[in-house]
Amino acid sequence: MPEGYRKSVLPNGIRLVTEAMPHVRSVAVGVWVDTGSRVEPEDRGGISHLIEHLVSKGTPTRSAEAIARAIDSVGGHMDAFTAKEHTCFYVGVLDEHLPLAADLLTDILIRPLFSAEDIEKEKSVVLQEIKMVEDTPDDLIHDLHAEQVWAGHPLGRPILGAWSRVKDFDRATILRHFQEEYVPERITVAVAGHVEHERVRDLFAARVDGWERPAAPRTLTAPALHPGIHVVSKTLEQVHLVLGFPGVADTSPERYALYLLNDVIGGSMSSRLFQEVRERQALVYSVHSGTQPYRDTGLLYVYAGTERGN
């Protein structure tokens, strides 16, 4: 089995990328959907994240518990996350359980139930997640920063959405958004590990055979970066700070230079920020830099948490 990347497009338009790694016995499978909070209309803010929760809550042939037991019974791991431009569902298993991983991932993506009972339960779970972020200032500060720097643009809205909107989503709205966004041409399946490309292609092609749905048209507008200072008062022991600078898009040739710059500035324990601000001056416990690339723009940011006197 040769090492390297292979690419295919399945008959219904799903893109498949594999990387053969003969020296391991495990397989990682990720289904990436080209949708996230950026493409949501304002009145559906947070719906992508809610859908990510809901698809694993049951299909016509599997309950949520059955899905969890199936992956646990083989020592695997299954999870998902929502970002501003992507939603990802992923599984890690031993190579012999790849068919099970393909079964579970395609089942929840093609045939989720979206039962009324599950929708109400997951709304409550999302409310707790929103409250958890509000109680975690080193997470909340990034939402507050995005709201300022991308003011008036979908990138400035939080991925979790506002509770005032999320609580009002009904099944019809959720199903409509799902059917508009979860379509073959917006899906990429990435598989890495002890695999052969042809076998992976055949496994997924058989499981998505006949699943076809056109993508709803959408227009994305590039955001403008809004400089300024934004202060939010909150009763805390520390002051949390984010400084944002213009970055580059995720496909820009300059992204590699930016990755290197980020490592030098604050991307590791040997970086200049960590060594100077924490190690030499002891002004903080946590300080780092990071990048936030999107399809047409990006940020380089610096974060620190310190006491008011510093």
Side-chain angles (χ1 to χ4, degrees), residues 142 145 242-247 258-259 261-263 265-268 273 287-293 298-303:
H142 293 285
H145 182 257
V242 172
L243 302 175
F245 308 91
L258 185 63
Y259 298 158
L261 177 63
N262 178 58
D263 280 345
I265 292 174
S268 68
L273 278 174
V287 61
H288 67 266
S289 64
T291 61
Q292 293 177 352
L299 281 178
L300 172 69
Y301 71 88
V302 171
Y303 162 83

Side-chain angles (χ1 to χ4, degrees), residues 59-78:
T59 71
T61 57
R62 291 180 173 94
S63 66
E65 183 177 350
I67 293 169
R69 285 185 178 275
I71 198 69
D72 287 348
S73 69
V74 298
H77 175 71
M78 185 176 187

Side-chain angles (χ1 to χ4, degrees), residues 197-277:
H197 183 82
E198 290 76 12
R199 179 168 180 252
V200 177
R201 182 192 61 207
D202 293 345
L203 280 173
F204 278 91
R207 285 159 175 79
V208 300
D209 183 40
W211 182 50
E212 297 182 5
R213 191 157 62 220
R218 66 189 187 196
T219 303
L220 299 180
T221 57
L225 192 148
H226 296 271
I229 298 174
H230 186 49
V231 179
V232 174
S233 297
K234 203 172 175 72
T235 304
L236 297 169
E237 296 298 321
Q238 282 192 312
V239 174
H240 297 262
L241 174 71
V242 172
L243 302 175
F245 308 91
V248 299
D250 56 13
T251 57
S252 168
E254 296 173 299
R255 66 189 185 276
Y256 301 108
L258 185 63
Y259 298 158
L260 181 59
L261 177 63
N262 178 58
D263 280 345
V264 172
I265 292 174
S268 68
M269 291 177 65
S270 63
S271 66
R272 295 184 180 183
L273 278 174
F274 192 91
Q275 286 298 314
E276 181 64 29
V277 181

Side-chain angles (χ1 to χ4, degrees), residues 102-163:
D103 279 343
L104 294 176
L105 286 168
T106 54
D107 197 19
I108 66 174
L109 286 169
I110 298 175
R111 294 173 287 273
L113 284 179
F114 294 134
S115 75
E117 181 182 3
D118 287 335
I119 288 171
E120 293 310 310
K121 285 181 179 177
E122 288 309 306
K123 284 183 186 179
S124 295
V125 171
V126 170
L127 170 61
Q128 299 308 316
E129 194 171 353
I130 291 171
K131 289 183 174 180
M132 182 176 69
V133 170
E134 290 174 351
D135 284 344
T136 312
D138 51 338
D139 284 344
L140 179 63
I141 188 68
H142 293 285
D143 281 348
L144 297 173
H145 182 257
E147 182 182 12
Q148 168 75 17
V149 77
W150 306 126
H153 190 274
L155 282 178
R157 299 200 295 261
I159 293 168
L160 303 185
W163 177 241

